[in-house]
Each structure stands twice: as C-alpha cells, then as structure tokens.
Amino acid sequence: MQKIIDGKAFAADLRADITKKAAELKARDAIVPGLAVVLVGEDPASQVYVRNKGKQTVECGMLSFEHKLPDTTAQDELMELIDKLNNDDSVHGILVQLPLPKQIDENSVINRINPDKDVDGFHLDNVGRLSIGDEGIVPCTPLGCLMMIKDQLGDLSGKHAVVVGRSNIVGKPVAALLLQENCTVVITHSRTVNLEEECRRADILVAAVGRPEMVKGDWIKPGATVIDVGINRIDTADGKTRLVGDVDFASAEPVAGKITPVPGGVGPMTIACLLHNTLQQACRINNVAVPE
Ligand code: GUN
C-alpha cells in the first residue's frame, strides 16, 4: 500500500458504487434520490462547493435541486423554504450551505430540517444519536475521514487517536466516531497544554483546526496515520495562492506511516459521503433496503 492516501481515487470508487446502487434503486423501486442544496448569499468558496455538489449528484444518477437566495434573505423566508423541502417527497436530503448571513440563526435553521433529511448530520437529533452510538446520519467530512482510516488500518480497537480541533462540523463528530471504533480518543484545541506532546502520542492524528501547516513533522509519531482536514489558501512568494492543509506536509510525510495530501485527500471524500448519505436516506424514508 502507498504511503500517501489517495482521497480522490477513494472518492471516485465510492461514487461509482453509489451510481450503481442509485440505478438499482430506480429499477427496483422507481425511487430516484433527490438532494436539495440551499445557498444564501454569494460567498465565492460556497458557490464553488454548491456547483460541485450539484454536478456530482447528477453524475451519480440522482436529482439535484439548487435554491439560491440573496444574502438579505430573512430567517422566516429560509424557514419557509425548509418547510417546503421537508414536505417534498422528491427531496431525500437537505443541505443548507454554511456559513449563513449574520441575520440568520444557523442552529434554528439546521434544527428545522427534518432529521431524516438532514444529510449533513448537523441536527440535534443526529448529533445526539452519534453521541450515544445510535444509528443516525453521520456528518460527511468525519465519515470520509473514518472510511479512509478504516481502509488503511482495519480494526481500530485500542489505537490512540488525537483530534486537533473541536468544531461541531469535524472535531467533535470525528472524535465520537473514533470512540465508537474503540480508539482511546484525545480532543485537543487552542488551549491545550503541550499540544505537540499530545500529538506525538497519536497512532491516528486528525488535524482539523484551520491553521495552515501548523502540525509539523516532529509532532508526529513515526509510522502514525495522519488525516489532514484543513483547506487553507495561503499567499506564496510569487504573488499567487496555494492550497495547504493544517499539516506541514513536507516535514510530516517522511515521518508518517500514512498521510492524506491537500488537495486530493479528505476534500473529495466530503461530497462523496454527502451522496452516500442521500442514497441511504432515500431508502430509509421509503422503507426499502439499500441495494447491495
Ligand atoms: N460549509 C463548510 N462545510 C460545510 C458542510 O460540511 N456542510 C454545510 N452545510 N456547509 C458547510
């Protein structure tokens, strides 16, 4: 097996499997999974993500519904749209792209989504289910991380996992998933004392802090599996910009046993897992088995 984990290839395999299952679901039960993506405002990065989501949804044989609203949208208008999508039988997944404009309360919007259609896994019902180890919808980026880690390492029981970052979108759910896999899990953050030492104990190190190239090679235990969730755009000396992760790849790669690159690591897995969640929920909502 190669040292650099190829997230792009892994995601392509996952999408191929989803495409096959979506075709089977259509032939067997006349169900076509539908994903609604809601974008409020004009944030350039969000626009790119939403475009990619729509494109890949269609490529997998599913229906994509895009709702673009101005950044002046009032909370009530957004709530009305969510209610409409909750009641629309052709929609099995609803994703509201974050961040939302400041006049809108994110948590109220997320928790208005029918938990069975919450393919981001951000609704309190799904967060609670993950927390107690009950079946629910798992957030896409953490699910993508776990799939790659398990593909590399198999059984994770007893492994020492260190998560750098405690966000609701990545740090906390990825820690919950690793705990469910019987890892010993340490969550670290900006106030952690001796962060480097904590990281050096990790068999599995997940970096999700949003600090460009913060984790250096000498923070890593030789042979460890390093998953870099960061996507940071930095200025280079020649006046251009470059995408880097939260891990300093140049110094980390020689020490790690396995490592994800940026770009081409965790990133492509996120949308693939979103499509995975949408297909799963289309089956669950219609009370049919997921095709083999
Ligand atoms: N913005 C950045 N990442 C995400 C994500 O995973 N889901 C949503 N809805 N918005 C995001």
Side-chain angles (χ1 to χ4, degrees), residues 22-289:
E24 280 175 36
L25 186 62
K26 187 175 178 181
R28 189 189 68 189
D29 302 304
I31 296 165
V32 181
L35 172 64
V37 176
V38 181
L39 174 62
V40 186
E42 321 236 306
D43 177 63
S46 293
Q47 285 177 326
V48 173
Y49 288 136
V50 167
R51 203 162 42 239
N52 285 336
K53 282 169 193 163
K55 186 166 160 274
Q56 293 185 26
T57 305
V58 172
E59 281 169 3
C60 283
M62 305 193 199
L63 296 175
S64 169
F65 308 99
E66 277 181 25
H67 296 268
K68 294 190 176 164
L69 306 176
D71 66 1
T72 51
T73 300
Q75 171 113 10
D76 287 354
E77 285 175 72
L78 185 53
M79 292 298 216
E80 270 175 40
L81 174 60
I82 303 288
D83 290 345
K84 213 175 96 198
L85 297 172
N86 281 340
N87 292 320
D88 183 340
D89 289 342
S90 60
V91 172
H92 307 101
I94 302 170
L95 180 147
V96 179
Q97 184 68 32
L98 304 178
L100 288 168
K102 57 184 180 318
Q103 74 275 17
I104 295 174
D105 177 47
E106 271 180 14
N107 285 337
S108 309
V109 172
I110 289 167
N111 291 314
R112 185 82 162 219
I113 298 171
N114 174 348
D116 280 337
K117 295 190 177 186
D118 165 43
V119 282
D120 257 329
F122 293 165
H123 189 288
L124 285 174
D125 265 28
N126 287 311
V127 175
R129 283 171 185 273
L130 178 60
S131 175
I132 67 167
D134 203 355
E135 204 179 315
I137 306 177
V138 175
C140 304
T141 301
L143 181 58
C145 292
L146 188 73
M147 283 183 184
M148 290 197 287
I149 295 167
K150 284 179 77 169
D151 182 59
Q152 295 294 328
L153 300 180
D155 181 18
L156 306 183
S157 288
K159 303 261 187 224
H160 193 90
V162 176
V163 179
V164 189
R166 55 174 156 177
S167 71
N168 291 334
I169 292 183
V170 185
K172 285 178 200 161
V174 92
L177 286 172
L178 290 164
L179 186 60
Q180 225 167 62
E181 295 294 328
N182 303 313
C183 292
T184 300
V185 183
V186 174
I187 304 176
T188 66
H189 47 79
S190 56
R191 307 283 174 89
T192 296
V193 177
N194 292 332
L195 178 59
E196 303 179 27
E197 262 174 51
E198 296 292 346
C199 289
R200 250 177 249 127
R201 293 196 191 102
D203 302 313
I204 299 166
L205 183 62
V206 180
V209 261
R211 296 270 221 99
E213 301 179 317
M214 188 181 83
V215 176
K216 308 295 181 196
D218 62 0
W219 297 25
I220 293 167
K221 176 157 123 179
T225 298
V226 178
I227 305 294
D228 189 353
V229 184
I231 302 179
N232 311 287
R233 200 170 279 284
I234 59 165
D235 296 326
T236 55
D238 57 5
K240 295 189 177 142
T241 63
R242 190 163 66 91
L243 272 192
V244 299
D246 292 347
V247 177
D248 176 29
F249 190 84
S251 66
E253 191 267 341
V255 187
K258 305 278 178 191
I259 185 167
T260 60
V262 176
V266 175
M269 289 297 289
T270 297
I271 298 182
C273 287
L274 175 67
L275 302 175
H276 166 87
N277 282 350
T278 305
L279 179 93
Q280 296 283 319
Q281 293 313 114
C283 295
R284 172 174 277 267
I285 289 165
N286 287 289
N287 211 10
V288 300

